[in-house]
Structure formats: C-alpha cells, structure tokens
Amino acid sequence: MATPYVTDETGGKYIASTQRPDGTWRKQRRVKEGYVPQEEVPVYENKYVKFFKSKPELPPGLSPEATAPVTTSRPEGGEPGLSKTAKRNLKRKEKRRQQQEKGEAEALSRTLDKVSLGETAQLPSAPQGSRAASTAASEQPDSAVTTEKAKKIKNLRKKLRQVEELQQRIQAGEISQPSREQLEKLARRRVLEEELEDLELGL
C-alpha cells in the first residue's frame, strides 16, 4: 500500500494522518525530501541473486531457433528422444529380465518335474489322462504367481543370510550379549528354512 502524502503551500511533504483500527487518529508527520517509507524500500538483493536473475536462459551464442523442438521420426526400436546409450541400456535391461524369467520358468519346471515324478511313484493306480491333465495345468502357472513366489524366495534367502551372519558374529565374539530380537531371529531359522523348501518345491 502506497503511503499517502500531503504537500502544503510551502512545498513541505507530510504523511497524511490516518485512522487506527480502534478509531483514534495518528498525527501528520513531516518528511524530508527523498524519504522512502519502510514498506516501499526495495528488498536487498546481493550480486549473486542479481546475476542469476539477469542470466539468460540459453547459453551464450545459442539462438532460440536452435532450441525449438525438432520433430523427428520415431526410431524403430526405442523410446522417442533417447540417446544411443540409453537405448542400449533399455535393451540390456529387457534382455536381463527375459533371461531371469526364463531361468525362473526352468527352475519351476524342474521342481514340477520332481513333484510330478514323486506323485507318479506314490500313486501308480492314477489314470494316465488325469495325470497328464494335472501336469499340463501345473506347467502353465500364472506369471503373477511365479513372480510373487520368486519375491518370497528372495526375501526368505535374505532373511536366512542375515540369520547366518548374526550367528557367525555371535560365534566370533563380536556380539557378546545378543538382544532379545536377535535371539528371536536365530530361533526362527528352522521355520524360514522349511518355508523356503516348501516354496522351492512349489507346494
């Protein structure tokens, strides 16, 4: 809000009297020539702030036309606007993911073969048609279930690795008095191993 000034006939400047919220009036105040009220004083900016405000957005020598987006045809095997290295990395990731899925599928089929062989040995009287149907149904598991199992297996292996590391640290004498949580972790080892075996067998 600008400060209201009053100029009298002698040429002196005054800040006009104003009313307070409670109804009383402030007196007029005489001000010298060149006076700037506090609310109108510009905020101080150091030289770095001024430099960055005045700094052009483009590097020196680069014309704005050169920065205009160029519409190029989309490359055959990649996302738009990716460099060669980024495309190569995307291909590698995709290849790694496919190999991992293939490895998981092979491991699952091996465990299924073991389970199906175990079932045929236990149940020789089962009819051939029903056995073939059950193995065909189990050989095509849902990919979401497979990835979920893989995550659980990975998590269980991580927990077992932590338990083994903790046990080694206790045996080496690094931890003289294990806490209650550490003891509970050690006690859960057998349960984790059984759970991991069940998952790996596909039960």
Side-chain angles (χ1 to χ4, degrees):
M1 179 178 133
T3 307
Y5 290 107
V6 175
T7 309
D8 64 359
E9 53 277 348
T10 59
K13 260 189 174 180
Y14 293 92
I15 294 178
S17 59
T18 53
Q19 193 172 13
R20 295 186 184 100
D22 64 352
T24 58
W25 285 86
R26 295 180 188 93
K27 290 193 293 184
Q28 276 187 352
R29 285 190 297 151
R30 187 173 187 160
V31 291
K32 293 181 181 176
E33 196 62 41
Y35 168 77
V36 180
Q38 187 64 40
E39 62 268 10
E40 293 176 18
V41 173
V43 177
Y44 172 73
E45 292 178 344
N46 64 29
K47 61 182 177 181
Y48 298 108
V49 172
K50 287 179 184 171
F51 170 74
F52 281 109
K53 280 190 176 177
S54 66
K55 185 178 164 187
E57 291 181 16
L58 302 174
L62 183 65
S63 65
E65 295 85 34
T67 60
V70 182
T71 55
T72 56
S73 60
R74 195 176 201 186
E76 54 205 44
E79 299 288 322
L82 291 179
S83 66
K84 286 182 181 178
T85 311
K87 289 175 190 171
R88 201 177 311 131
N89 288 340
L90 273 175
K91 285 181 182 177
R92 283 180 187 163
K93 278 184 184 175
E94 184 66 28
K95 202 172 192 180
R96 239 183 267 133
R97 191 176 59 77
Q98 287 175 353
Q99 285 177 348
Q100 188 178 11
E101 287 176 0
K102 188 178 177 183
E104 287 173 0
E106 285 176 2
L108 192 64
S109 65
R110 271 189 252 121
T111 54
L112 284 173
D113 288 343
K114 288 178 187 175
V115 170
S116 62
L117 288 173
E119 285 175 1
T120 53
Q122 290 170 359
L123 305 169
S125 60
Q128 290 282 335
S130 66
R131 237 184 277 148
S134 67
T135 54
S138 61
E139 282 176 6
Q140 297 177 349
D142 192 24
S143 62
V145 174
T146 308
T147 54
E148 191 67 33
K149 277 186 181 180
K151 282 182 185 176
K152 281 185 181 178
I153 289 172
K154 185 178 177 183
N155 196 9
L156 285 171
R157 284 184 181 152
K158 181 182 174 185
K159 285 180 182 176
L160 276 171
R161 193 168 50 246
Q162 288 173 348
V163 169
E164 287 169 8
E165 286 172 7
L166 180 64
Q167 197 166 14
Q168 288 173 359
R169 286 172 66 192
I170 290 172
Q171 288 172 353
E174 289 178 37
I175 302 173
S176 57
Q177 295 231 327
S179 67
R180 189 168 57 95
E181 289 140 8
Q182 289 172 330
L183 291 172
E184 286 174 4
K185 201 179 224 185
L186 289 171
R188 282 201 314 262
R189 181 178 183 163
R190 187 65 211 139
V191 176
L192 291 171
E193 286 174 349
E194 287 173 0
E195 209 173 317
L196 183 63
E197 283 175 20
D198 289 350
L199 276 173
E200 284 177 342
L201 289 174
L203 296 175

